[in-house]
Amino acid sequence: MQAIGIEELKKIQKEILDEVVAFCNTHNIRYFLAYGTLLGAIRHKGYIPWDDDIDIHMPRPDYEKFYAIWNQVGDLQHYALCRTTKEKNIHQTDMQLVDLTTTFINRHSRNEDILHGVSVDIMPFEGCPENPIARGLQIYHSILYSIFNVQRLPDHQGGALRFATSIVLNAVKDPVKRYKIWSRHEKKMAQYDFDSAKTVKETITSFRALFYPHPRADFETMEVPFEDILVPIPVGYDAYLRRIFGDYMQLPPEEGRVAKHDVVYANLNEPFEQYKGIHYCVKK
């Protein structure tokens, strides 16, 4: 991989975040920071020093609104909003806003003809039913959606889950059948209204977090600094972060302070298309 500076990468990701913030403010779209980006805002007032990505959550209605409006009035010359559809599978369960002027090829997708630029991840937050059976079914729909939508073995989720996923995917290999399965399960998992629900949850997340409902009131928002801007975060960030990270204000040991992306090639000054057949979609 070409050596790149993490600060240069962060600068480009921050520019994408600025684009998301401006677009959401203009079109009255709700969002809040998620995962390590939220942790960074609380603990470091910006990026975690060794982190190399940005994660954003949106309530499901705003998630769908962002997708619909971006493709009408967004800056389509510089950025592309990517989401798996019937016609194109990006092998990500969420949607991503990608900088088209850059190259950032992850190992897991190096054989895919997709948009390999620097990106930020945007994920939905759903309403969660109160009935235990309905709640269990929502988890079931989330799992089936994830398997047949992403269509690759999960990273960092354990060998048992990788094995189970491989069995399910091998049982259904036809792309049209896979699309019908994941689109049906997506509708089922997203059927509960975020605003009227007493509890809310992530449906596109790690396997463990699928079992974590949160009080809806915790996801009203307040603003905090992130680098040089103010961004919304959940008012119940403390309980949310403790569930994910435990004692999140405690720094991890030195060996744990590493970026999570496994990148085979990156060039932050050139668009990825010119590397097709060279660094991705290489003919064997």
Side-chain angles (χ1 to χ4, degrees):
M1 167 185 161
Q2 180 205 34
I4 60 170
I6 192 169
E7 295 306 318
E8 186 181 4
L9 174 59
K10 288 179 179 180
K11 179 178 181 293
I12 293 173
Q13 290 175 334
K14 174 58 169 48
E15 290 170 355
I16 305 174
L17 175 62
D18 290 343
E19 187 74 17
V20 172
V21 169
F23 192 84
C24 288
N25 289 342
T26 298
H27 298 286
N28 195 29
I29 295 172
R30 295 172 295 176
Y31 70 98
F32 42 89
L33 300 187
Y35 306 134
T37 313
L38 173 58
L39 171 56
I42 298 300
R43 195 170 66 194
H44 304 278
K45 301 188 185 304
Y47 278 102
I48 296 173
W50 54 90
D51 204 6
D52 66 349
D53 67 353
I54 287 179
D55 295 314
I56 299 169
H57 272 135
M58 292 180 180
R60 173 64 73 167
D62 300 85
Y63 182 83
E64 300 297 346
K65 182 179 178 181
F66 188 97
Y67 182 69
I69 296 177
W70 176 270
N71 289 317
Q72 296 174 11
V73 298
D75 182 359
L76 304 182
Q77 296 301 310
H78 195 152
Y79 302 104
L81 188 61
C82 303
R83 183 179 182 182
T84 288
T85 64
K86 182 179 181 180
E87 293 73 29
K88 186 72 171 179
N89 194 308
I90 68 167
H91 302 280
Q92 292 283 145
T93 52
D94 55 8
M95 62 184 180
Q96 299 176 312
L97 191 61
V98 180
D99 186 329
L100 298 173
T101 69
T102 63
T103 301
F104 199 75
I105 304 169
N106 280 289
R107 186 173 303 279
H108 62 61
S109 57
R110 66 190 182 278
N111 296 321
E112 306 295 337
D113 189 10
I114 59 176
L115 304 185
H116 291 282
V118 177
S119 64
V120 302
D121 291 323
I122 304 173
M123 297 153 287
F125 228 82
E126 319 281 9
C128 180
E130 294 300 302
N131 181 280
I133 296 176
R135 188 171 290 183
L137 285 172
Q138 187 182 43
I139 294 170
Y140 164 75
H141 293 308
S142 298
I143 293 171
L144 269 294
Y145 165 78
S146 294
I147 291 173
F148 285 103
N149 179 277
V150 75
Q151 296 181 27
R152 61 177 170 83
L153 301 184
D155 295 322
H156 315 300
Q157 300 281 332
L161 192 58
R162 282 180 67 88
F163 178 71
T165 300
S166 69
I167 291 176
V168 174
L169 288 176
N170 283 327
V172 183
K173 294 185 177 181
D174 180 68
V176 175
K177 289 182 179 178
R178 287 180 172 185
Y179 164 74
K180 289 180 179 179
I181 291 171
W182 72 251
S183 59
R184 181 171 67 249
H185 286 289
E186 183 180 37
K187 290 176 183 176
K188 292 288 187 180
M189 78 181 189
Q191 66 182 296
Y192 302 100
D193 180 57
F194 177 88
D195 291 297
S196 61
K198 292 181 180 179
T199 56
V200 294
K201 65 174 297 188
E202 303 165 74
T203 52
I204 297 175
T205 183
S206 68
F207 182 74
R208 183 181 65 173
L210 289 175
F211 296 86
Y212 292 163
H214 308 272
R216 167 66 181 87
D218 283 2
F219 289 85
E220 297 299 326
T221 59
M222 64 184 198
E223 289 191 328
V224 299
F226 186 88
E227 303 297 334
D228 61 345
I229 60 174
L230 291 175
V231 290
I233 67 167
V235 296
Y237 69 85
D238 180 70
Y240 174 78
L241 288 175
R242 288 187 184 280
R243 263 188 158 173
I244 299 173
F245 299 108
D247 183 7
Y248 60 87
M249 294 303 289
Q250 180 70 35
L251 291 176
E254 289 282 350
E255 62 271 19
R257 301 176 194 179
V258 294
K260 66 181 183 181
H261 283 112
D262 185 7
V263 181
V264 295
Y265 185 79
N267 187 320
L268 304 184
N269 301 303
E270 299 287 347
F272 57 87
E273 291 99 333
Q274 67 187 51
Y275 297 111
K276 184 177 180 180
I278 301 173
H279 294 296
Y280 74 97
C281 291
V282 179
K283 293 181 179 180
K284 297 181 180 179

